[in-house]
Amino acid sequence: SQTIHQWPATLVQPVGSPLSLECTVEGTSNPNLYWYRQAAGRGLQLLFYSVGIGQISSEVPQNLSASRPQDRQFILSSKKLLLSDSGFYLCAWSGGRSGNTIYFGEGSWLTVV
Amino acid sequence: GQQVMQIPQYQHVQEGEDFTTYCNSSTTLSNIQWYKQRPGGHPVFLIQLVKSGEVKKQKRLTFQFGEAKKNSSLHITATQTTDVGTYFCAGPRLHSGNTPLVFGKGTRLSVIA
């Protein structure tokens, strides 16, 4: 069966510090991968998605970036965090027999102070 | 651009009352999916509807896809405290195959015991 792992689960970072969130998917090949952000009590904002290694589509201009160095690995980064970057970050995947159904990781709570 | 709208944004009900959330798309959808996010958790896939007028049931949850495939509803009969959470609908984007999905902003359900 397919599983998705995302880490770290929580982090508190000072303004201006870098960020790296990692996500890996197991049990499937060539998945579509996504990064979403959810502000407190709000909806899901799609940040990036990738249909293959090195292929990244950005949905919202911001100081975040994403990379897909391996087929089942997706990384969200920032060189300098802003207060407004605080939120709940969700990695997700779709593809294979599951079609376009999206399966989310457990999320990473980021607080920028 | 393509939009998926959900109403209401919030709903507070007494335990045992019924609950309905509605989803409307600005475009015809090939399919629609529903997700549930418990407080502090990540969205979890509930169901997918594909056919015009389709109705599916999961215990006390009834999902319906409109005849024109532009709207959908989720009805919960006799709510319980375990139903608390945010319910999202999502549909495929136009002209992008089946990825990524466009999510509604969700309906947050509170159940008062």
Side-chain angles (χ1 to χ4, degrees):
Chain A
S1 62
Q2 301 87 3
T3 57
I4 179 168
H5 303 281
Q6 179 181 346
W7 69 94
T10 60
L11 65 166
V12 179
Q13 295 284 101
V15 170
S17 65
L19 170 74
S20 180
L21 300 178
E22 291 198 36
C23 172
T24 59
V25 179
E26 296 181 1
T28 187
S29 59
N30 196 31
N32 299 314
L33 297 173
Y34 311 87
W35 279 110
Y36 287 86
R37 177 168 62 197
Q38 189 174 34
R42 305 289 294 275
L44 299 163
Q45 180 186 33
L46 178 62
L47 300 176
F48 301 94
Y49 71 96
S50 171
V51 299
I53 295 175
Q55 300 178 61
I56 309 293
S57 296
S58 175
E59 291 290 301
V60 182
Q62 59 218 323
N63 69 323
L64 298 172
S65 62
S67 61
R68 185 171 178 172
Q70 300 181 39
D71 181 43
R72 291 170 289 173
Q73 184 184 21
F74 208 23
I75 298 172
L76 182 69
S77 304
S78 174
K79 292 182 178 178
K80 289 185 178 182
L81 284 169
L82 306 172
L83 286 173
S84 58
D85 291 324
S86 294
F88 189 44
Y89 289 81
L90 291 153
C91 182
W93 73 273
S94 69
R97 296 180 183 178
S98 300
N100 64 353
T101 297
I102 291 183
Y103 296 93
F104 291 86
E106 295 193 355
S108 299
W109 291 95
L110 169 65
T111 303
V112 182
V113 296
Chain B
Q2 183 180 1
Q3 293 184 349
V4 175
M5 295 152 285
Q6 274 186 264
I7 55 170
Q9 188 175 0
Y10 304 97
Q11 185 78 58
H12 306 279
V13 299
Q14 288 286 138
E15 190 173 23
E17 291 181 341
D18 292 356
F19 159 76
T20 304
T21 174
Y22 300 91
C23 180
N24 293 286
S25 171
S26 58
T27 59
T28 301
L29 300 170
S30 59
N31 65 79
I32 194 159
Q33 300 180 20
W34 286 90
Y35 295 75
K36 177 184 178 181
Q37 183 178 22
R38 294 180 184 275
H42 59 280
V44 175
F45 171 73
L46 293 177
I47 207 163
Q48 176 174 280
L49 304 170
V50 179
K51 300 177 183 177
S52 169
E54 187 171 15
V55 178
K56 287 188 175 180
K57 292 189 176 183
Q58 290 180 349
K59 298 182 180 178
R60 294 177 294 103
L61 277 61
T62 302
F63 303 84
Q64 187 167 6
F65 202 9
E67 294 289 341
K69 303 183 75 173
K70 294 183 71 174
N71 61 287
S72 181
S73 64
L74 159 59
H75 180 81
I76 302 178
T77 304
T79 55
Q80 300 176 359
T81 55
T82 54
D83 296 323
V84 165
T86 302
Y87 294 85
F88 295 95
C89 63
R93 282 191 180 182
L94 286 177
H95 312 305
S96 67
N98 278 327
T99 61
L101 296 179
V102 178
F103 280 85
K105 293 189 182 299
T107 295
R108 186 187 296 178
L109 172 63
S110 299
V111 179
I112 305 165

